[in-house]
Amino acid sequence: MEERQENGSTEATGQVQDSAAATQRGLWGSKAGFILAAAGSAIGLGNIWRFPTEAANNGGAAFVLVYIACVVLIGLPVMLAELSLGRHTRKNPVGAMLAISPKGLWWLVGTLGVLTGLAILSYYSVVAGWTLGYVVKTVGNTFTPETDAGAVFGVFAGSWWQQLLYHAIFMGLCVLVVIGGVKAGIERWSKILMPTLLIVLGLLVIRSVTLPSASAGLSFYLNPDFSKISMKVVVAAMGQAFFSMSLGMGAMITYGSYISKRDNLVTSAAWVGGADAGIAILAGLMVLPALSLAGIQPGVDQGGAGLIFAVLPSVFSQMPWEPYGGIIFGTAFFVLLALAALTSAVSLLEVVTAYLVDERGWARKKATSVVAAVAYGLGIPSALSLGAVGWLSAVTTLQGKTLGFLDLMDKIFGKLTLTFGALLICLVVGWVWGINKAAKEIENGNPRFLLRPLWSILLRFLCPVAIATILVYLIIDPSVIR
Ligand code: TRP
């Protein structure tokens, strides 16, 4: 990969120079560097932990189809909007809103994004901590074909000290990466990680789909039953698309603010969105055929956040060359998942940090540590909500189902405020800042922006109407977010 000259002046072909301020603030080293870092943000627990669980709970193949439609028709246009706003203003979400509308109240959209990021980070780190705990477990050969993986997860999740410990270790790792700065910290990791994750995932998919008991899960995942498409499925699919693509709270505004003016935003967004959806769909192919191993029937609502941790160890224990095959693959998988989660969590931490550094003048190190400490504290109830503390584990019931605090946080911040944020971002970019100015920014690095008319229609009309419909529906019938 070719490294870009920092000051941009040596590149004769660049049509627009990156301003001195931008280069001082930091830019990605290359277009590929940005794509990998943004894919690093997008690809994470959302793909491997959340997507298969959502698919299992929401009609399998029907969910996958609606999900793909949401990614293409809503996710990609919103991603392009976030990237163009970020690159144009070279700011964090709050600063970006203030830059295009200094007098209005639109900066509140940025604030909502920053708060949402903090909240998501709090429980994201808890689940990421589980992947660290599972590295230890697989190395120690905890899982044999006879092990009841669900019971093992139950004991692990119910142990308060393990939950708090792994949550702390993971948050500490995030701090180390973010203090390293954008290019050195975030970009370097993503380059090695993403390709390796893909290979290990591919091999595990092969094992999973060739399991003797794979067929029920496989057909549930691949044969769409259109009668299963309901409002609940659409709500889940759209929320999943935003979460997985890191949209709706300004992460892509922030990452966009470090892109060079010479890069093509449309192809970058397409790469990031495509890689993200591809990995999610592969992860489903790994998890759903294996549900039967854990005695779980696809389609019966499983709800819980622990699904993949109860299912996957059974796949590993079925790897050839027992027990070494399972140990090697299980360990590789959880290490990679932890690292994928790290590059995602880092983007959440980076948004809040960039806000405090740019808007409040904090030193980077102080901002990073304080944000991480707050997110850690906010995550404690989530960490204790899978059995360790009874009342946190059953905070609320929706339709006769008990939900733990972590699930509740994911519903409120991973689904609701993210969807609301995405709606507001469509309105800000499409109408307040204006589609023409946004398109002009996109034409830097892409002078023939062929999809401009289509994008303009999607962003100004289809996306807001579709997202608003979902939100209105949610207000009328909150039980659809489950
Ligand atoms: N997209 C990440 C994942 O799939 C999580 C994530 C990172 C995120 N940054 C975000 C989610 C911003 C919403 C908003 O794991």
Side-chain angles (χ1 to χ4, degrees), residues 379-412:
I380 290 176
S382 294
L384 301 179
S385 74
L386 278 105
V389 173
W391 62 272
L392 284 172
S393 310
V395 183
T396 175
T397 49
L398 284 177
Q399 295 188 338
K401 249 184 45 187
T402 19
L403 273 185
F405 191 82
L406 190 153
D407 278 306
L408 189 66
M409 287 290 280
D410 187 41
K411 260 147 254 273
I412 296 174

Short mmCIF file of all heavy atoms in Angstrom, two decimals, residues 379-412:
data_model
loop_
_atom_site.label_atom_id
_atom_site.label_comp_id
_atom_site.label_asym_id
_atom_site.label_seq_id
_atom_site.Cartn_x
_atom_site.Cartn_y
_atom_site.Cartn_z
N GLY A 379 -21.05 0.96 32.13
CA GLY A 379 -21.18 -0.43 31.70
C GLY A 379 -21.33 -1.41 32.86
O GLY A 379 -21.69 -2.57 32.62
N ILE A 380 -21.08 -0.96 34.07
CA ILE A 380 -21.13 -1.90 35.21
C ILE A 380 -22.51 -2.57 35.35
O ILE A 380 -22.59 -3.79 35.45
CB ILE A 380 -20.67 -1.21 36.51
CG1 ILE A 380 -19.15 -0.95 36.43
CG2 ILE A 380 -20.98 -2.08 37.73
CD1 ILE A 380 -18.58 -0.19 37.62
N PRO A 381 -23.61 -1.78 35.32
CA PRO A 381 -24.91 -2.47 35.41
C PRO A 381 -25.10 -3.50 34.28
O PRO A 381 -25.69 -4.56 34.52
CB PRO A 381 -25.93 -1.33 35.30
CG PRO A 381 -25.20 -0.06 35.36
CD PRO A 381 -23.74 -0.32 35.33
N SER A 382 -24.62 -3.19 33.09
CA SER A 382 -24.74 -4.17 31.99
C SER A 382 -23.93 -5.42 32.30
O SER A 382 -24.38 -6.55 32.08
CB SER A 382 -24.24 -3.58 30.67
OG SER A 382 -25.08 -2.53 30.25
N ALA A 383 -22.72 -5.20 32.83
CA ALA A 383 -21.84 -6.34 33.11
C ALA A 383 -22.46 -7.27 34.14
O ALA A 383 -22.22 -8.47 34.13
CB ALA A 383 -20.48 -5.83 33.60
N LEU A 384 -23.26 -6.69 35.05
CA LEU A 384 -23.83 -7.51 36.12
C LEU A 384 -25.23 -8.01 35.79
O LEU A 384 -25.91 -8.57 36.64
CB LEU A 384 -23.86 -6.69 37.42
CG LEU A 384 -22.49 -6.18 37.89
CD1 LEU A 384 -22.62 -5.36 39.16
CD2 LEU A 384 -21.51 -7.33 38.09
N SER A 385 -25.64 -7.80 34.52
CA SER A 385 -27.05 -8.05 34.21
C SER A 385 -27.29 -9.39 33.53
O SER A 385 -28.35 -9.62 33.00
CB SER A 385 -27.59 -6.92 33.34
OG SER A 385 -27.10 -7.06 32.02
N LEU A 386 -26.30 -10.26 33.52
CA LEU A 386 -26.55 -11.59 32.97
C LEU A 386 -26.47 -12.63 34.07
O LEU A 386 -25.86 -13.68 33.92
CB LEU A 386 -25.61 -11.89 31.81
CG LEU A 386 -26.18 -11.25 30.55
CD1 LEU A 386 -25.42 -10.01 30.19
CD2 LEU A 386 -26.28 -12.22 29.42
N GLY A 387 -27.05 -12.29 35.19
CA GLY A 387 -27.14 -13.27 36.25
C GLY A 387 -26.45 -12.86 37.54
O GLY A 387 -26.82 -13.30 38.61
N ALA A 388 -25.43 -11.98 37.44
CA ALA A 388 -24.67 -11.67 38.65
C ALA A 388 -25.54 -10.96 39.69
O ALA A 388 -25.45 -11.25 40.88
CB ALA A 388 -23.44 -10.83 38.31
N VAL A 389 -26.34 -10.02 39.21
CA VAL A 389 -27.23 -9.30 40.14
C VAL A 389 -28.66 -9.48 39.65
O VAL A 389 -28.99 -9.10 38.53
CB VAL A 389 -26.87 -7.80 40.19
CG1 VAL A 389 -27.88 -7.04 41.02
CG2 VAL A 389 -25.46 -7.61 40.76
N GLY A 390 -29.48 -10.06 40.49
CA GLY A 390 -30.81 -10.47 40.06
C GLY A 390 -31.65 -9.36 39.46
O GLY A 390 -32.17 -9.49 38.36
N TRP A 391 -31.76 -8.23 40.15
CA TRP A 391 -32.70 -7.22 39.64
C TRP A 391 -32.19 -6.54 38.37
O TRP A 391 -32.97 -6.09 37.54
CB TRP A 391 -33.07 -6.20 40.71
CG TRP A 391 -31.92 -5.38 41.25
CD1 TRP A 391 -31.11 -5.71 42.29
CD2 TRP A 391 -31.46 -4.12 40.77
NE1 TRP A 391 -30.16 -4.73 42.48
CE2 TRP A 391 -30.36 -3.74 41.56
CE3 TRP A 391 -31.87 -3.26 39.73
CZ2 TRP A 391 -29.66 -2.57 41.35
CZ3 TRP A 391 -31.16 -2.08 39.53
CH2 TRP A 391 -30.08 -1.73 40.34
N LEU A 392 -30.88 -6.51 38.17
CA LEU A 392 -30.37 -5.96 36.91
C LEU A 392 -30.60 -6.94 35.76
O LEU A 392 -30.66 -6.55 34.60
CB LEU A 392 -28.87 -5.68 37.03
CG LEU A 392 -28.47 -4.44 37.81
CD1 LEU A 392 -26.96 -4.40 38.00
CD2 LEU A 392 -28.94 -3.18 37.10
N SER A 393 -30.69 -8.20 36.12
CA SER A 393 -30.84 -9.21 35.08
C SER A 393 -32.28 -9.30 34.59
O SER A 393 -32.56 -9.92 33.58
CB SER A 393 -30.40 -10.58 35.60
OG SER A 393 -29.12 -10.45 36.19
N ALA A 394 -33.21 -8.71 35.30
CA ALA A 394 -34.61 -8.74 34.89
C ALA A 394 -35.22 -7.37 35.13
O ALA A 394 -36.06 -7.18 35.98
CB ALA A 394 -35.36 -9.81 35.68
N VAL A 395 -34.76 -6.40 34.34
CA VAL A 395 -35.18 -5.03 34.57
C VAL A 395 -36.60 -4.80 34.08
O VAL A 395 -37.39 -4.12 34.70
CB VAL A 395 -34.25 -4.05 33.84
CG1 VAL A 395 -34.65 -2.63 34.14
CG2 VAL A 395 -32.83 -4.28 34.26
N THR A 396 -36.91 -5.37 32.96
CA THR A 396 -38.20 -5.05 32.38
C THR A 396 -38.74 -6.26 31.63
O THR A 396 -37.99 -7.14 31.25
CB THR A 396 -38.09 -3.87 31.40
OG1 THR A 396 -39.35 -3.68 30.78
CG2 THR A 396 -37.08 -4.12 30.32
N THR A 397 -40.02 -6.27 31.42
CA THR A 397 -40.58 -7.34 30.61
C THR A 397 -41.30 -6.73 29.43
O THR A 397 -42.04 -5.77 29.56
CB THR A 397 -41.59 -8.21 31.39
OG1 THR A 397 -42.48 -7.33 32.04
CG2 THR A 397 -40.90 -9.10 32.39
N LEU A 398 -41.02 -7.27 28.27
CA LEU A 398 -41.75 -6.87 27.08
C LEU A 398 -42.44 -8.14 26.58
O LEU A 398 -41.79 -9.14 26.34
CB LEU A 398 -40.80 -6.37 26.00
CG LEU A 398 -40.21 -4.98 26.16
CD1 LEU A 398 -39.24 -4.70 25.03
CD2 LEU A 398 -41.29 -3.93 26.18
N GLN A 399 -43.73 -8.06 26.45
CA GLN A 399 -44.49 -9.21 25.98
C GLN A 399 -44.13 -10.48 26.74
O GLN A 399 -43.83 -11.52 26.17
CB GLN A 399 -44.25 -9.44 24.49
CG GLN A 399 -44.77 -8.29 23.66
CD GLN A 399 -44.72 -8.58 22.18
OE1 GLN A 399 -43.95 -9.42 21.73
NE2 GLN A 399 -45.54 -7.89 21.43
N GLY A 400 -44.13 -10.35 28.04
CA GLY A 400 -43.91 -11.52 28.87
C GLY A 400 -42.48 -12.02 28.91
O GLY A 400 -42.19 -13.07 29.46
N LYS A 401 -41.55 -11.25 28.31
CA LYS A 401 -40.15 -11.70 28.31
C LYS A 401 -39.35 -10.81 29.23
O LYS A 401 -39.48 -9.59 29.18
CB LYS A 401 -39.59 -11.53 26.90
CG LYS A 401 -39.31 -12.83 26.21
CD LYS A 401 -38.66 -12.54 24.87
CE LYS A 401 -37.57 -11.49 24.99
NZ LYS A 401 -37.01 -11.06 23.72
N THR A 402 -38.48 -11.39 30.03
CA THR A 402 -37.66 -10.52 30.86
C THR A 402 -36.42 -10.10 30.08
O THR A 402 -35.85 -10.87 29.33
CB THR A 402 -37.15 -11.25 32.12
OG1 THR A 402 -37.25 -12.62 31.90
CG2 THR A 402 -37.86 -10.79 33.34
N LEU A 403 -36.02 -8.87 30.32
CA LEU A 403 -34.85 -8.34 29.64
C LEU A 403 -33.86 -7.90 30.69
O LEU A 403 -34.23 -7.26 31.67
CB LEU A 403 -35.23 -7.09 28.86
CG LEU A 403 -35.74 -7.25 27.45
CD1 LEU A 403 -35.93 -5.87 26.86
CD2 LEU A 403 -34.75 -8.05 26.63
N GLY A 404 -32.59 -8.21 30.46
CA GLY A 404 -31.56 -7.71 31.34
C GLY A 404 -31.20 -6.28 30.97
O GLY A 404 -31.58 -5.78 29.92
N PHE A 405 -30.42 -5.65 31.84
CA PHE A 405 -30.03 -4.26 31.62
C PHE A 405 -29.24 -4.10 30.31
O PHE A 405 -29.44 -3.14 29.56
CB PHE A 405 -29.18 -3.79 32.81
CG PHE A 405 -28.95 -2.31 32.82
CD1 PHE A 405 -29.90 -1.44 33.33
CD2 PHE A 405 -27.77 -1.78 32.33
CE1 PHE A 405 -29.68 -0.08 33.33
CE2 PHE A 405 -27.54 -0.40 32.33
CZ PHE A 405 -28.50 0.44 32.83
N LEU A 406 -28.35 -5.04 30.02
CA LEU A 406 -27.56 -4.94 28.79
C LEU A 406 -28.45 -4.96 27.56
O LEU A 406 -28.31 -4.15 26.65
CB LEU A 406 -26.53 -6.09 28.73
CG LEU A 406 -25.46 -5.99 27.63
CD1 LEU A 406 -24.22 -6.73 28.07
CD2 LEU A 406 -25.90 -6.53 26.30
N ASP A 407 -29.40 -5.91 27.54
CA ASP A 407 -30.33 -5.97 26.41
C ASP A 407 -31.13 -4.68 26.29
O ASP A 407 -31.39 -4.19 25.19
CB ASP A 407 -31.28 -7.16 26.57
CG ASP A 407 -30.63 -8.45 26.08
OD1 ASP A 407 -30.17 -8.48 24.94
OD2 ASP A 407 -30.58 -9.42 26.86
N LEU A 408 -31.50 -4.14 27.44
CA LEU A 408 -32.28 -2.91 27.44
C LEU A 408 -31.46 -1.74 26.88
O LEU A 408 -31.94 -0.95 26.06
CB LEU A 408 -32.71 -2.60 28.88
CG LEU A 408 -33.71 -1.46 29.03
CD1 LEU A 408 -35.03 -1.84 28.39
CD2 LEU A 408 -33.91 -1.13 30.51
N MET A 409 -30.20 -1.64 27.28
CA MET A 409 -29.31 -0.60 26.75
C MET A 409 -29.19 -0.73 25.24
O MET A 409 -29.23 0.25 24.50
CB MET A 409 -27.91 -0.73 27.35
CG MET A 409 -27.78 -0.31 28.79
SD MET A 409 -27.96 1.45 29.01
CE MET A 409 -26.32 2.03 28.56
N ASP A 410 -29.03 -1.96 24.77
CA ASP A 410 -28.89 -2.18 23.33
C ASP A 410 -30.16 -1.76 22.61
O ASP A 410 -30.12 -1.22 21.51
CB ASP A 410 -28.56 -3.66 23.06
CG ASP A 410 -28.23 -3.89 21.59
OD1 ASP A 410 -27.52 -3.05 21.00
OD2 ASP A 410 -28.69 -4.90 21.02
N LYS A 411 -31.31 -2.01 23.23
CA LYS A 411 -32.56 -1.61 22.60
C LYS A 411 -32.68 -0.10 22.52
O LYS A 411 -33.04 0.46 21.50
CB LYS A 411 -33.74 -2.21 23.37
CG LYS A 411 -34.21 -3.43 22.63
CD LYS A 411 -34.75 -4.50 23.48
CE LYS A 411 -33.74 -5.60 23.54
NZ LYS A 411 -33.75 -6.59 22.56
N ILE A 412 -32.34 0.57 23.63
CA ILE A 412 -32.52 2.02 23.65
C ILE A 412 -31.46 2.71 22.77
O ILE A 412 -31.77 3.52 21.91
CB ILE A 412 -32.43 2.57 25.09
CG1 ILE A 412 -33.57 2.00 25.92
CG2 ILE A 412 -32.48 4.09 25.09
CD1 ILE A 412 -33.50 2.34 27.39
#
